[in-house]
Amino acid sequence: MIKTRVVVGVDGSAGSMAAVRWAATEARLRQAELRVLLARHRRESFALDTRQADADADQSTVHTAVMQARAVAPGVSVKGIALPGYAVPVLVHAAEEAALVVLGSHGDRGFFGQAHGSVDSQVATQARCCVVVVRGGEVPADGPVVVGVNSDPDASTIIGRAFEEAAMRGAPVTAVTVRDGGPSLDMIDLQLDPWREKYPQVRVTREVIGGKPEKVLLQQCRQAQLVVAGARQQGALLGPVGTTLLQRAECPVLIARA
């Protein structure tokens, strides 16, 4: 079955509403439906009136998000739902039937008070589809899709996803390699060539830069409309590059899955 659903997690924060607007545009681009999803753990000890007030607030948050999504992408089918439960398992379960899960950056707090970055990183490592974390404000509409190119085993998946996203957007790709300890230019070409052939309409720029990978990619993100990174796990966390991008990138970050 071809997955034609984009899921966006909301909690009422400004960051999650920015994610809703980005996800609505993305759903229109992919000709997909959009599912707006809110999850809140409700303790049984809460008084009945408190639980009802929370439920009403959640429904209001979902309604507002759905209205914003429809305003951004009028032709997209948008559905909203509020569910009881913790955000991570609810979103990971929703990812089973999605092509993409979108989350917002939440500054110093996460979904309903969870630790900064905890939902983003956990969903990014556990979801079976690609995950995008929307960060910052406006990004250049004509900016490139940035991808790091190295010798990791999952490099082909990451590069391929970057080309696919660029082709969908009519954007160029900037392939960035860190000079110290990175692959040779010939190796870079070997990694890029299959995707150049598959997406001949995508213009590619190679950048070979010295420094730490996370710092180099952060610099490149300043002019990008999207950066693509891998989902390699280290315990329950992303690697250092993915973690840094989720926390500090100035453009949306896509964590790629095969």
Side-chain angles (χ1 to χ4, degrees), residues 5-211:
R5 176 182 298 168
V6 173
V7 171
V8 58
V10 298
D11 64 0
S13 66
S16 75
M17 290 303 174
V20 167
R21 294 187 291 273
W22 192 92
T25 300
E26 192 71 13
R28 181 174 57 192
L29 199 62
R30 295 169 179 266
Q31 298 183 328
E33 72 172 23
L34 179 63
R35 177 68 54 86
V36 177
L37 184 59
L38 181 149
R40 183 200 292 270
H41 176 65
R42 300 184 178 94
R43 291 179 291 181
E44 293 300 326
S45 59
F46 281 0
L48 180 60
D49 57 346
T50 301
R51 295 202 302 270
Q52 185 59 53
D54 284 346
D56 292 344
D58 291 348
Q59 291 295 338
S60 177
T61 296
V62 169
H63 177 75
T64 298
V66 168
M67 291 300 101
Q68 289 199 22
R70 288 175 176 164
V72 170
V76 172
S77 172
V78 185
K79 298 179 180 178
I81 185 170
L83 295 173
Y86 290 104
V88 172
V90 169
L91 289 165
V92 169
H93 178 72
E96 297 285 343
E97 298 181 351
L100 187 70
V101 171
V102 182
L103 302 171
S105 173
H106 293 80
D108 293 329
R109 70 179 189 90
F111 277 68
F112 294 113
Q114 297 186 51
H116 165 59
S118 65
V119 172
D120 298 347
S121 61
Q122 288 182 65
V123 173
T125 52
Q126 296 177 34
R128 293 188 180 182
C129 68
C130 295
V131 175
V132 172
V133 176
V134 177
R135 293 191 47 80
E138 296 296 323
V139 296
D142 59 349
V145 174
V146 170
V147 60
V149 178
N150 55 32
S151 55
D152 287 350
D154 59 352
S156 180
T157 295
I158 300 168
I159 296 168
R161 180 61 61 181
F163 271 78
E164 181 180 343
E165 296 294 329
M168 194 184 309
R169 291 165 167 76
V173 164
T174 298
V176 182
T177 300
V178 176
R179 182 183 299 114
D180 298 333
S184 66
L185 293 180
D186 288 342
M187 181 63 72
I188 296 171
D189 279 328
L190 286 174
Q191 292 175 306
L192 294 176
D193 281 348
W195 301 108
R196 283 170 167 154
E197 292 177 8
K198 184 173 182 179
Y199 298 100
Q201 74 275 32
V202 175
R203 180 169 55 87
V204 185
T205 300
R206 295 186 310 176
E207 297 281 353
V208 182
I209 304 170

